[in-house]
Amino acid sequence: MRAEIEAALTAQDAAISPKYLYDPLGSKLFEAICELPEYYPTRTEAAIFAEHAADIAQAAGTGVTLIDLGAGNCAKAAGLFPELKPRQYVPIDISADFLHQAVDGLRQQFPDIPMHEVAMDFSASLELPATVSRERRLFFYPGSSLGNFDPQQARAFLRRMRQALQIGEAGGVLLGLDLVKDARVLDAAYDDELGVTAAFNLNMLKHVNRLIGADFNPRDWRHIGFYNAAHQRVEMHLEACRDLIVRWEGGRRTFRQGERIHTENSHKFTPQDILDLLEESGFGDVRMWFDPQRWFAVCHARA
Ligand code: AVI
């Protein structure tokens, strides 16, 4: 982790992986983002799941081993329990404390569903503990989190999912993906009026301070979030407000005023992009559901 962050910080175009946005405070700030009027993905996706619940459950099947990637507070998957009736629920998240708290609450609410939480960085490996059933696995990856990978990484990740699905009775994936839309809607969603997304982005610096003993001062940086149409993605950066030097145990980096650290890409898709991505990764029988404005898509595909 230290080597990865140091290499990313000292590269000519400094960048830090978006996974470091999620320390306990970062996870809470992300929950707050999902409540913002500007951040339409969460409520739009929820509306699609509510509207098409029966159809989605029919495509995905009931009694599945529901593997929730980046589960966070587990609320999205819990909303599907009544329709999907999972035989086992496996929430996975990098933020261990947040995950354990969420699952403790959920166990009381759904005592009949066996739950097995796994705190791990699933972007590195999808090798699951032996206690996770191999039967009819359904990888649930909502919220357009796949969009935080670059297209090549997204394909590689989907291929790994497909491999992990082929070890038992054939399963599938249930994804939520954000669609290309007017840049003004996207700009507002990633640079909100209250500055919650700014706090979420800046909090990464405090997280990195703890991880590698760096001395980033968030007050020296400002949040940038905008839609880059040429790359079909929203980009988040942190921009230095003045010339400064950041030091950490064993290293340092000079930043000029206006120099940026790239912290996140959030790719947006057309329905055709989604079909191509899934088919290139070996999935088939793709089904998609949309909201009336076609701002977001939920899709199911078989391994
Ligand atoms: C988690 N992920 C899908 C969010 C997104 O929209 O890319 C993270 C986020 N970044 C800024 N706001 C929300």
Side-chain angles (χ1 to χ4, degrees):
M1 187 185 284
R2 169 178 289 274
E4 179 192 324
I5 297 173
E6 285 184 6
L9 270 181
T10 49
Q12 191 172 353
D13 296 319
I16 308 177
S17 163
K19 67 187 175 200
Y20 297 113
L21 290 164
Y22 301 93
D23 66 349
L25 179 57
S27 298
K28 290 208 170 85
L29 286 166
F30 179 61
E31 272 193 295
I33 287 174
C34 295
E35 303 277 322
L36 292 170
E38 295 98 326
Y39 194 74
Y40 61 85
T42 312
R43 61 172 182 280
T44 310
E45 182 182 56
I48 300 172
F49 277 122
E51 173 77 20
H52 301 284
D55 217 15
I56 293 170
Q58 202 199 13
T62 52
V64 292
T65 305
L66 182 59
I67 304 172
D68 188 359
L69 299 173
N73 63 13
C74 306
K76 286 184 187 176
L80 298 177
F81 287 175
E83 290 287 346
L84 287 183
K85 300 177 183 62
R87 76 173 65 201
Q88 190 183 33
Y89 175 53
V90 185
I92 303 181
D93 206 286
I94 194 170
S95 193
D97 295 345
F98 195 75
L99 178 66
H100 292 310
Q101 263 178 31
V103 179
D104 283 347
L106 214 57
R107 278 200 177 95
Q108 292 175 10
Q109 235 182 308
F110 299 95
D112 298 336
I113 300 179
M115 297 186 191
H116 183 96
E117 71 265 40
V118 186
M120 70 178 216
D121 176 6
F122 59 83
S123 68
S125 159
L126 266 178
E127 214 157 295
L128 299 171
T131 41
V132 175
S133 168
R134 294 178 164 224
E135 293 313 304
R136 302 182 53 221
R137 288 178 168 182
L138 178 68
F139 278 113
F140 180 50
Y141 202 32
S144 205
S145 294
L146 194 72
N148 294 135
F149 290 116
D150 288 336
Q152 215 185 337
Q153 294 171 327
R155 267 190 294 274
F157 185 59
L158 282 168
R159 283 198 196 108
R160 259 187 285 141
M161 276 201 236
R162 190 162 167 264
Q163 269 169 11
L165 287 169
Q166 287 179 324
I167 52 175
E169 198 185 322
V173 287
L174 184 60
L175 310 171
L177 293 166
D178 199 9
L179 300 178
V180 171
K181 62 184 63 60
D182 190 311
R184 283 166 300 186
V185 176
L186 292 165
D187 288 346
Y190 289 81
D191 194 7
D192 59 282
E193 218 174 31
L194 290 178
V196 182
T197 309
F200 173 65
N201 198 6
L202 288 161
N203 177 61
M204 184 194 251
L205 298 177
K206 309 261 286 179
H207 190 199
V208 168
N209 281 350
R210 287 197 308 278
L211 291 172
I212 66 164
D215 65 355
F216 276 107
N217 181 353
R219 290 188 195 277
D220 290 334
W221 297 84
R222 74 180 187 103
H223 162 72
I224 310 273
F226 64 93
Y227 183 57
N228 180 337
H231 286 104
Q232 226 176 281
R233 68 190 189 199
V234 171
E235 296 183 11
M236 289 209 313
H237 300 258
L238 290 165
E239 186 177 282
C241 300
R242 60 178 182 85
D243 293 353
L244 52 88
I245 299 174
V246 178
R247 296 180 175 81
W248 58 89
E249 289 154 20
R252 55 190 262 159
R253 161 100 196 225
T254 303
F255 289 93
R256 292 263 163 236
Q257 182 177 356
E259 208 173 329
R260 293 177 179 181
I261 303 175
H262 195 158
T263 52
E264 186 185 64
N265 287 322
S266 190
H267 291 265
K268 307 301 165 190
F269 304 87
T270 64
Q272 189 61 49
D273 293 336
I274 299 173
L275 269 178
D276 292 346
L277 191 61
L278 285 165
E279 280 168 11
E280 284 159 19
S281 315
F283 286 91
D285 287 337
V286 182
R287 288 203 56 195
M288 283 192 228
W289 299 268
F290 305 96
D291 58 295
Q293 296 189 97
R294 289 207 158 216
W295 276 10
F296 203 92
V298 167
C299 55
H300 178 267
R302 286 184 207 287

PDB file of all heavy atoms in Angstrom, residues 5 35 38 44 66 100 106-107 110 147 152-153 166 212 214 241 251 255 285 291 303:
ATOM      1  N   ILE A   5       1.174   4.007  -3.060  1.00  0.00           N
ATOM      2  CA  ILE A   5       0.815   5.426  -2.906  1.00  0.00           C
ATOM      3  C   ILE A   5       2.027   6.308  -3.229  1.00  0.00           C
ATOM      4  O   ILE A   5       1.900   7.326  -3.926  1.00  0.00           O
ATOM      5  CB  ILE A   5       0.289   5.716  -1.478  1.00  0.00           C
ATOM      6  CG1 ILE A   5      -1.002   4.933  -1.216  1.00  0.00           C
ATOM      7  CG2 ILE A   5       0.043   7.206  -1.284  1.00  0.00           C
ATOM      8  CD1 ILE A   5      -1.522   5.014   0.198  1.00  0.00           C
ATOM      9  N   GLU A  35     -27.215  11.280  -0.641  1.00  0.00           N
ATOM     10  CA  GLU A  35     -28.446  11.986  -0.231  1.00  0.00           C
ATOM     11  C   GLU A  35     -28.581  13.337  -0.944  1.00  0.00           C
ATOM     12  O   GLU A  35     -29.602  14.006  -0.808  1.00  0.00           O
ATOM     13  CB  GLU A  35     -28.403  12.293   1.277  1.00  0.00           C
ATOM     14  CG  GLU A  35     -28.220  11.093   2.173  1.00  0.00           C
ATOM     15  CD  GLU A  35     -29.543  10.387   2.426  1.00  0.00           C
ATOM     16  OE1 GLU A  35     -30.557  11.075   2.580  1.00  0.00           O
ATOM     17  OE2 GLU A  35     -29.536   9.144   2.419  1.00  0.00           O
ATOM     18  N   GLU A  38     -28.140  16.866  -6.035  1.00  0.00           N
ATOM     19  CA  GLU A  38     -27.394  16.839  -7.310  1.00  0.00           C
ATOM     20  C   GLU A  38     -26.940  15.424  -7.692  1.00  0.00           C
ATOM     21  O   GLU A  38     -26.737  15.138  -8.868  1.00  0.00           O
ATOM     22  CB  GLU A  38     -26.126  17.709  -7.235  1.00  0.00           C
ATOM     23  CG  GLU A  38     -26.361  19.192  -7.046  1.00  0.00           C
ATOM     24  CD  GLU A  38     -26.225  19.598  -5.586  1.00  0.00           C
ATOM     25  OE1 GLU A  38     -26.597  18.788  -4.698  1.00  0.00           O
ATOM     26  OE2 GLU A  38     -25.751  20.709  -5.318  1.00  0.00           O
ATOM     27  N   THR A  44     -31.848   7.283  -8.567  1.00  0.00           N
ATOM     28  CA  THR A  44     -32.331   6.813  -9.879  1.00  0.00           C
ATOM     29  C   THR A  44     -32.217   5.288  -9.951  1.00  0.00           C
ATOM     30  O   THR A  44     -33.144   4.596 -10.394  1.00  0.00           O
ATOM     31  CB  THR A  44     -31.516   7.478 -11.018  1.00  0.00           C
ATOM     32  OG1 THR A  44     -31.500   8.889 -10.789  1.00  0.00           O
ATOM     33  CG2 THR A  44     -32.119   7.191 -12.368  1.00  0.00           C
ATOM     34  N   LEU A  66     -25.590 -14.196  -2.827  1.00  0.00           N
ATOM     35  CA  LEU A  66     -25.519 -12.791  -3.234  1.00  0.00           C
ATOM     36  C   LEU A  66     -24.210 -12.175  -2.741  1.00  0.00           C
ATOM     37  O   LEU A  66     -24.007 -12.004  -1.534  1.00  0.00           O
ATOM     38  CB  LEU A  66     -26.726 -12.044  -2.650  1.00  0.00           C
ATOM     39  CG  LEU A  66     -26.862 -10.562  -2.998  1.00  0.00           C
ATOM     40  CD1 LEU A  66     -26.956 -10.352  -4.504  1.00  0.00           C
ATOM     41  CD2 LEU A  66     -28.096  -9.971  -2.300  1.00  0.00           C
ATOM     42  N   HIS A 100     -18.457  -4.189   9.228  1.00  0.00           N
ATOM     43  CA  HIS A 100     -18.890  -5.000  10.370  1.00  0.00           C
ATOM     44  C   HIS A 100     -20.099  -4.371  11.060  1.00  0.00           C
ATOM     45  O   HIS A 100     -21.053  -5.055  11.410  1.00  0.00           O
ATOM     46  CB  HIS A 100     -17.740  -5.191  11.361  1.00  0.00           C
ATOM     47  CG  HIS A 100     -16.639  -6.046  10.784  1.00  0.00           C
ATOM     48  ND1 HIS A 100     -16.876  -7.264  10.190  1.00  0.00           N
ATOM     49  CD2 HIS A 100     -15.302  -5.848  10.685  1.00  0.00           C
ATOM     50  CE1 HIS A 100     -15.738  -7.775   9.751  1.00  0.00           C
ATOM     51  NE2 HIS A 100     -14.761  -6.925  10.036  1.00  0.00           N
ATOM     52  N   LEU A 106     -27.819  -5.600  10.113  1.00  0.00           N
ATOM     53  CA  LEU A 106     -28.592  -6.366   9.129  1.00  0.00           C
ATOM     54  C   LEU A 106     -28.966  -7.764   9.644  1.00  0.00           C
ATOM     55  O   LEU A 106     -30.042  -8.278   9.354  1.00  0.00           O
ATOM     56  CB  LEU A 106     -27.735  -6.493   7.863  1.00  0.00           C
ATOM     57  CG  LEU A 106     -28.464  -6.502   6.539  1.00  0.00           C
ATOM     58  CD1 LEU A 106     -29.309  -5.256   6.379  1.00  0.00           C
ATOM     59  CD2 LEU A 106     -27.447  -6.569   5.405  1.00  0.00           C
ATOM     60  N   ARG A 107     -28.055  -8.359  10.437  1.00  0.00           N
ATOM     61  CA  ARG A 107     -28.298  -9.710  10.967  1.00  0.00           C
ATOM     62  C   ARG A 107     -29.544  -9.729  11.849  1.00  0.00           C
ATOM     63  O   ARG A 107     -30.300 -10.690  11.843  1.00  0.00           O
ATOM     64  CB  ARG A 107     -27.106 -10.176  11.804  1.00  0.00           C
ATOM     65  CG  ARG A 107     -25.994 -10.714  10.970  1.00  0.00           C
ATOM     66  CD  ARG A 107     -25.056 -11.608  11.765  1.00  0.00           C
ATOM     67  NE  ARG A 107     -24.065 -12.138  10.851  1.00  0.00           N
ATOM     68  CZ  ARG A 107     -22.857 -11.611  10.654  1.00  0.00           C
ATOM     69  NH1 ARG A 107     -22.479 -10.563  11.351  1.00  0.00           N
ATOM     70  NH2 ARG A 107     -22.030 -12.148   9.789  1.00  0.00           N
ATOM     71  N   PHE A 110     -32.595  -9.486   9.458  1.00  0.00           N
ATOM     72  CA  PHE A 110     -32.850 -10.671   8.612  1.00  0.00           C
ATOM     73  C   PHE A 110     -32.151 -11.893   9.221  1.00  0.00           C
ATOM     74  O   PHE A 110     -31.174 -12.399   8.664  1.00  0.00           O
ATOM     75  CB  PHE A 110     -32.326 -10.442   7.182  1.00  0.00           C
ATOM     76  CG  PHE A 110     -32.964  -9.290   6.465  1.00  0.00           C
ATOM     77  CD1 PHE A 110     -32.366  -8.035   6.459  1.00  0.00           C
ATOM     78  CD2 PHE A 110     -34.161  -9.460   5.778  1.00  0.00           C
ATOM     79  CE1 PHE A 110     -32.955  -6.971   5.785  1.00  0.00           C
ATOM     80  CE2 PHE A 110     -34.753  -8.401   5.102  1.00  0.00           C
ATOM     81  CZ  PHE A 110     -34.160  -7.163   5.113  1.00  0.00           C
ATOM     82  N   GLY A 147     -17.670   1.946 -13.190  1.00  0.00           N
ATOM     83  CA  GLY A 147     -17.220   3.143 -13.901  1.00  0.00           C
ATOM     84  C   GLY A 147     -15.985   3.773 -13.279  1.00  0.00           C
ATOM     85  O   GLY A 147     -15.353   4.636 -13.887  1.00  0.00           O
ATOM     86  N   GLN A 152     -10.216  -0.717 -19.734  1.00  0.00           N
ATOM     87  CA  GLN A 152      -9.430  -1.960 -19.793  1.00  0.00           C
ATOM     88  C   GLN A 152      -9.497  -2.722 -18.463  1.00  0.00           C
ATOM     89  O   GLN A 152      -9.675  -3.940 -18.431  1.00  0.00           O
ATOM     90  CB  GLN A 152      -7.986  -1.577 -20.074  1.00  0.00           C
ATOM     91  CG  GLN A 152      -7.236  -2.535 -20.932  1.00  0.00           C
ATOM     92  CD  GLN A 152      -5.776  -2.097 -21.046  1.00  0.00           C
ATOM     93  OE1 GLN A 152      -5.452  -0.913 -20.860  1.00  0.00           O
ATOM     94  NE2 GLN A 152      -4.907  -3.032 -21.323  1.00  0.00           N
ATOM     95  N   GLN A 153      -9.379  -1.967 -17.358  1.00  0.00           N
ATOM     96  CA  GLN A 153      -9.473  -2.593 -16.029  1.00  0.00           C
ATOM     97  C   GLN A 153     -10.875  -3.155 -15.803  1.00  0.00           C
ATOM     98  O   GLN A 153     -11.033  -4.196 -15.180  1.00  0.00           O
ATOM     99  CB  GLN A 153      -9.215  -1.563 -14.927  1.00  0.00           C
ATOM    100  CG  GLN A 153      -7.826  -0.988 -14.880  1.00  0.00           C
ATOM    101  CD  GLN A 153      -7.778   0.181 -13.892  1.00  0.00           C
ATOM    102  OE1 GLN A 153      -8.739   0.923 -13.709  1.00  0.00           O
ATOM    103  NE2 GLN A 153      -6.643   0.339 -13.231  1.00  0.00           N
ATOM    104  N   GLN A 166     -17.750 -19.402 -12.606  1.00  0.00           N
ATOM    105  CA  GLN A 166     -17.809 -20.667 -13.341  1.00  0.00           C
ATOM    106  C   GLN A 166     -17.334 -21.862 -12.540  1.00  0.00           C
ATOM    107  O   GLN A 166     -17.236 -22.951 -13.075  1.00  0.00           O
ATOM    108  CB  GLN A 166     -17.009 -20.534 -14.634  1.00  0.00           C
ATOM    109  CG  GLN A 166     -17.785 -19.670 -15.618  1.00  0.00           C
ATOM    110  CD  GLN A 166     -17.034 -19.472 -16.897  1.00  0.00           C
ATOM    111  OE1 GLN A 166     -15.817 -19.362 -16.880  1.00  0.00           O
ATOM    112  NE2 GLN A 166     -17.745 -19.423 -18.005  1.00  0.00           N
ATOM    113  N   ILE A 212       0.758   6.770   5.093  1.00  0.00           N
ATOM    114  CA  ILE A 212       2.206   6.800   4.805  1.00  0.00           C
ATOM    115  C   ILE A 212       2.943   7.855   5.638  1.00  0.00           C
ATOM    116  O   ILE A 212       4.114   8.141   5.373  1.00  0.00           O
ATOM    117  CB  ILE A 212       2.493   7.001   3.286  1.00  0.00           C
ATOM    118  CG1 ILE A 212       2.044   8.390   2.795  1.00  0.00           C
ATOM    119  CG2 ILE A 212       1.881   5.897   2.443  1.00  0.00           C
ATOM    120  CD1 ILE A 212       2.656   8.771   1.444  1.00  0.00           C
ATOM    121  N   ALA A 214       2.331  11.126   5.803  1.00  0.00           N
ATOM    122  CA  ALA A 214       2.558  12.348   5.014  1.00  0.00           C
ATOM    123  C   ALA A 214       2.007  13.565   5.763  1.00  0.00           C
ATOM    124  O   ALA A 214       1.313  13.427   6.778  1.00  0.00           O
ATOM    125  CB  ALA A 214       1.870  12.213   3.654  1.00  0.00           C
ATOM    126  N   CYS A 241      -3.316  24.934  -4.041  1.00  0.00           N
ATOM    127  CA  CYS A 241      -3.694  26.364  -4.035  1.00  0.00           C
ATOM    128  C   CYS A 241      -2.456  27.262  -4.016  1.00  0.00           C
ATOM    129  O   CYS A 241      -2.570  28.476  -4.180  1.00  0.00           O
ATOM    130  CB  CYS A 241      -4.549  26.681  -2.807  1.00  0.00           C
ATOM    131  SG  CYS A 241      -6.059  25.738  -2.752  1.00  0.00           S
ATOM    132  N   GLY A 251      10.254  10.252   1.835  1.00  0.00           N
ATOM    133  CA  GLY A 251      10.041  10.876   0.519  1.00  0.00           C
ATOM    134  C   GLY A 251       9.429  12.261   0.610  1.00  0.00           C
ATOM    135  O   GLY A 251       9.024  12.718   1.683  1.00  0.00           O
ATOM    136  N   PHE A 255       4.895  20.503  -5.268  1.00  0.00           N
ATOM    137  CA  PHE A 255       3.756  20.797  -6.151  1.00  0.00           C
ATOM    138  C   PHE A 255       3.737  22.296  -6.425  1.00  0.00           C
ATOM    139  O   PHE A 255       3.875  23.102  -5.499  1.00  0.00           O
ATOM    140  CB  PHE A 255       2.426  20.401  -5.485  1.00  0.00           C
ATOM    141  CG  PHE A 255       2.209  18.916  -5.383  1.00  0.00           C
ATOM    142  CD1 PHE A 255       2.578  18.216  -4.237  1.00  0.00           C
ATOM    143  CD2 PHE A 255       1.623  18.203  -6.426  1.00  0.00           C
ATOM    144  CE1 PHE A 255       2.383  16.850  -4.129  1.00  0.00           C
ATOM    145  CE2 PHE A 255       1.425  16.831  -6.323  1.00  0.00           C
ATOM    146  CZ  PHE A 255       1.802  16.155  -5.178  1.00  0.00           C
ATOM    147  N   ASP A 285     -26.698 -13.261 -22.576  1.00  0.00           N
ATOM    148  CA  ASP A 285     -28.090 -13.066 -22.104  1.00  0.00           C
ATOM    149  C   ASP A 285     -28.252 -11.754 -21.341  1.00  0.00           C
ATOM    150  O   ASP A 285     -28.810 -11.729 -20.244  1.00  0.00           O
ATOM    151  CB  ASP A 285     -28.506 -14.202 -21.155  1.00  0.00           C
ATOM    152  CG  ASP A 285     -28.736 -15.497 -21.878  1.00  0.00           C
ATOM    153  OD1 ASP A 285     -28.998 -15.445 -23.095  1.00  0.00           O
ATOM    154  OD2 ASP A 285     -28.640 -16.547 -21.218  1.00  0.00           O
ATOM    155  N   ASP A 291     -34.395   4.035 -16.135  1.00  0.00           N
ATOM    156  CA  ASP A 291     -35.366   4.996 -15.603  1.00  0.00           C
ATOM    157  C   ASP A 291     -35.962   5.745 -16.805  1.00  0.00           C
ATOM    158  O   ASP A 291     -35.390   5.698 -17.912  1.00  0.00           O
ATOM    159  CB  ASP A 291     -34.671   5.971 -14.641  1.00  0.00           C
ATOM    160  CG  ASP A 291     -33.541   6.703 -15.335  1.00  0.00           C
ATOM    161  OD1 ASP A 291     -32.556   6.040 -15.726  1.00  0.00           O
ATOM    162  OD2 ASP A 291     -33.653   7.931 -15.538  1.00  0.00           O
ATOM    163  N   ALA A 303     -22.967 -15.706 -16.826  1.00  0.00           N
ATOM    164  CA  ALA A 303     -21.556 -16.048 -17.047  1.00  0.00           C
ATOM    165  C   ALA A 303     -21.434 -17.102 -18.151  1.00  0.00           C
ATOM    166  O   ALA A 303     -22.331 -17.874 -18.365  1.00  0.00           O
ATOM    167  CB  ALA A 303     -20.956 -16.596 -15.769  1.00  0.00           C
TER     168      ALA A 303
END
